[in-house]
Structure formats: structure tokens, C-alpha cells
Amino acid sequence: MKTITLTQPDDWHVHLRDGLALQRTVPDLAQQFSRAICMPNLVPPVKTVTEAEAYRSRIIQHVPKGNAFDPCMVLYFTDHTSPDEILKIKNSEHVNAIKLYPAGATTNSDNGVSDITKVYHVIEKLEEYQIPLLLHGEVTHAHIDIFDREKRFLDDVLAPLLKTFPKLKMVLEHITTADAAEFVLDQGQNVGATITPQHLLFNRNDMLVGGIKPHFYCLPILKRQTHQAKLLEVATSGNPKFFLGTDSAPHAQDAKENACGCAGCYSATHAIEFYAQAFDQVGKIERLEGFASHFGADFYGLPRNTAQITLVKEDQIIPESFDYLENQKIIPLYAGKTIQWRKV
Ligand code: DOR
Ligand code: ZN
């Protein structure tokens, strides 16, 4: 039996939702991770530092006793975000970044930014204060194929953005293509990227061959196997630009298994084991610690964790479902399937 010990990991991209959902999502995540960037796409979205502080208090109420989980907060960028609010982030202890969703890109993104060039005067402040801009990197035009939306974002939005703001600290969230990986490699150290477990372990065949499997549906959507291979290559390369962000995004079973199913994979309960599985499958388990526990903290300028966790190479079956909200279920990523790693 193989055992590895690593610094306790952090999750630099997660959706915890609000209200009753926190009873499920917060304990699940806190037993795996020390810190997490808590995404602001609530209804209504978290648009100000004051709202983020209030959301943080609601999250903390659900942290199990004796667990030191520390939520890091993010504002939701809208067409109306003011430069003053960016100054408030700079002076805030708990708000670490701002998230930009192109309007209409994904779950609860209707209040997102309609045209990024219209908020350049706000992005200027982000660059000045070195506050990370977190990007959902997909264009949303109806005529652009869903599988090309990330690549088009790189060409049409990101390249001009970084030309205008070359020192902007930014994270391209949940990258899904070789194009995005290469784009990030070509930039300076101010540009990083998170990668989810589903984009390392699966590709669009897993979602679409032999019947449509809605629990693999997330945004950006799973791509072809060659993209999966490139993501695995960069994630396990030891390059500190690439770090862990699960994008664990809960939707009740009914909302996923639906004629119009919601986007999101729920991985919070077993995320570190999923990543261990992915790294081990390509013979790079020794690279897991940097990706999962060091590089994200370094990018955000936060101290690395001191606690440790241990993983053993031992089969475990992912549960078929968990209770969620009132009388609902949530189906986790890879439900009912066996993985080879287990956190002890
Ligand atoms: O699959 C996704 N689900 N992608 C996102 O960008 C948002 C998330 C959610 O909030 O459900
Ligand atoms: Zn997300």
C-alpha cells in the first residue's frame, strides 16, 4: 500500500451557494481543504465587500467545531462595479479577488459584464493594487460553437486585455483546452490558471458516448481527449502557474437530470482523491503537493498551510448520492464508481 503525506490543500475556486445548501457544502469542503475561494454567483450576486463579509459569516456558521476552515471571498464584477469598491477590496482582510463572468456565460451570470472594455477603468485599479481578476474565460455569442468559446475568449478578449494591462494579476479559471494552457504558459508570472478534477479525469466521450450523462456536464464543457492530455501535462509539470480549483458546483439531482439540466459537478467530498487519481494515472503523484497545496497560496500571496493530510492508495467507492436541501439529493462526480485513492 502506498501512502503520501502533503501540506493540507486549498481550493481556489468553489461554489458553496447559500442558505440551507451551506449545511451540505461547507462541512464537505472543510474536511478536505484549509481555505477556499468562495464564488460570488449567488442570487443576488455578492457585489460589495460588505455583502462578501456577510456571506462569509453565513459560511463560517456551518464550519464543523474544531475545523479551522478559512473562507476567502470574491466580489462579482458587474457593469456597475465602481473603482471605489476595488479600493475597499484592497483594504479588506477577507476579500481576495474579483470574479468576472461574461454576461450569460454560466449559472447566475446574468449580472455579469456585458462588454469588458466598458470596465477597463475599474480593471486599471485592479492592476494598480495587484488584486487578482478571476475570469470565466468563455465568449457568449450565440453563433460561437460551445466547444470553441474558450479559445475565442483567449483571442478576442484576453489577449487585448493583457496588452492593455500587462501587469494585471489574473487567474483564468477552470481551463479546459490546450489553447488555454498554452496561452497561460506564454504569459508572465502574473497570469495563473485553475484546473478542475473533472477536466483532468474525463473528456467529452465520458459525457456523451453510450448515453448522455448529465453529471459530467459543467461549464466550460468537457473537451476532446487531446485537451485533457494537455491539461494533465501542465497540471503535473510542476509549473506554479497551474493550481487546484475544483469548481465544485452543487445542483440538486432534479436540476441535473432534467430536459434542461444545470451545469456543474459536485466534487467537494472527494476532490483531493480525484486529483490524486489523475496525477497517479500519469505517474506524477509526487507533483500533487505543489499543485494542490503550494502554488495557489503563493499566487495569492498567502502563507502556505502548515497542517498536513495523508492519502493512501486504496480503493474506495464514491457514494451514489448525498442529502441536499430539504428532501433532495445531490449526485457527486463519479457517483458509484471506484477510485484508487483515499484520504485518511
Ligand atoms: O459548471 C459550472 N457551474 N460552471 C460555472 O461556471 C458555474 C457553476 C455553477 O455555479 O453552477
Ligand atoms: Zn465556477
Side-chain angles (χ1 to χ4, degrees):
M1 188 176 71
K2 197 167 161 181
T3 299
I4 59 163
T5 296
L6 48 146
T7 305
Q8 186 166 22
D10 300 305
D11 184 352
W12 300 102
H13 183 136
V14 72
H15 301 267
L16 296 173
R17 314 295 190 214
D18 206 352
L20 275 183
L22 298 175
Q23 288 177 1
R24 170 88 264 153
T25 58
V26 177
D28 280 353
L29 197 75
Q31 52 83 26
Q32 292 247 317
F33 295 103
S34 180
R35 291 169 291 201
I37 284 274
C38 305
M39 285 293 156
N41 61 332
L42 308 182
V43 186
V46 179
K47 290 182 291 205
T48 64
V49 169
T50 308
E51 288 164 3
E53 289 287 357
Y55 181 35
R56 186 170 185 276
S57 317
R58 299 196 293 279
I59 293 169
I60 285 176
Q61 282 170 22
H62 295 274
V63 176
K65 275 215 166 52
N67 183 306
F69 180 70
D70 180 15
C72 303
M73 309 313 291
V74 185
L75 301 195
Y76 184 113
F77 212 141
T78 74
D79 285 346
H80 310 290
T81 302
S82 76
D84 288 351
E85 203 61 43
I86 306 305
L87 183 60
K88 288 186 191 159
I89 300 180
K90 181 175 180 274
N91 295 325
S92 151
E93 192 185 337
H94 299 125
V95 181
N96 297 73
I98 185 161
K99 174 75 183 276
L100 190 152
Y101 293 94
T106 187
T107 310
N108 303 335
S109 61
D110 298 348
N111 296 292
V113 170
S114 57
D115 173 355
I116 197 166
T117 61
K118 288 195 188 141
V119 296
Y120 269 19
H121 63 292
V122 186
I123 294 179
E124 194 180 296
K125 293 287 165 205
L126 295 175
E127 186 184 43
E128 184 184 335
Y129 303 145
Q130 289 291 289
I131 294 168
L133 174 66
L134 315 185
L135 285 165
H136 182 110
E138 289 191 288
V139 296
T140 54
H141 321 294
H143 65 281
I144 308 285
D145 190 280
I146 187 170
F147 291 100
D148 299 335
R149 288 178 174 201
E150 187 172 271
K151 163 92 174 95
R152 284 297 290 269
F153 186 87
L154 304 172
D155 299 341
D156 298 356
V157 181
L158 209 45
L161 177 73
L162 284 165
K163 219 174 193 168
T164 313
F165 303 105
K167 296 204 171 74
L168 181 66
K169 215 167 163 166
M170 57 141 283
V171 183
L172 192 52
E173 298 291 337
H174 41 51
I175 59 169
T176 65
T177 58
D179 311 277
E182 269 148 20
F183 185 96
V184 171
L185 285 170
D186 284 346
Q187 308 303 315
Q189 293 305 118
N190 54 318
V191 177
T194 54
I195 309 182
T196 76
Q198 63 266 27
H199 292 99
L200 292 176
L201 286 170
F202 308 110
N203 60 65
R204 64 195 194 182
N205 274 14
D206 295 292
M207 178 175 60
L208 296 171
V209 173
I212 190 161
K213 301 183 194 68
H215 299 291
F216 284 121
Y217 174 59
C218 64
L219 289 172
I221 199 160
L222 292 176
K223 305 295 192 299
R224 62 169 67 239
Q225 190 273 337
T226 48
H227 293 296
Q228 179 194 359
K230 183 69 186 181
L231 297 176
L232 270 168
E233 182 194 312
V234 294
T236 63
S237 68
N239 187 324
K241 288 178 164 186
F242 300 95
F243 47 87
L244 186 157
T246 63
D247 199 19
S248 179
H251 293 277
Q253 180 175 14
D254 290 356
K256 293 284 297 172
E257 299 172 12
N258 190 294
C260 185
C262 292
C265 299
Y266 191 63
S267 61
T269 54
H270 293 79
I272 194 63
E273 289 106 317
F274 287 134
Y275 285 108
Q277 175 91 10
F279 276 59
D280 194 28
Q281 271 173 11
V282 292
K284 296 277 175 62
I285 193 71
E286 74 283 359
R287 293 269 167 83
L288 181 63
E289 185 177 35
F291 175 85
S293 315
H294 295 163
F295 303 154
D298 297 351
F299 186 90
Y300 277 91
L302 295 169
R304 293 179 180 181
N305 296 318
T306 49
Q308 293 189 315
I309 62 160
T310 298
L311 303 174
V312 290
K313 191 163 185 182
E314 192 178 279
D315 282 3
Q316 70 162 323
I317 301 172
I318 304 298
E320 293 283 358
S321 68
F322 298 107
D323 292 334
Y324 186 55
L325 305 176
E326 270 169 315
N327 303 319
Q328 300 203 54
K329 296 278 181 201
I330 190 161
I331 310 297
L333 182 67
Y334 220 39
K337 299 286 198 317
T338 302
I339 57 169
Q340 276 78 52
W341 286 87
R342 191 168 63 77
K343 178 174 169 289
V344 291

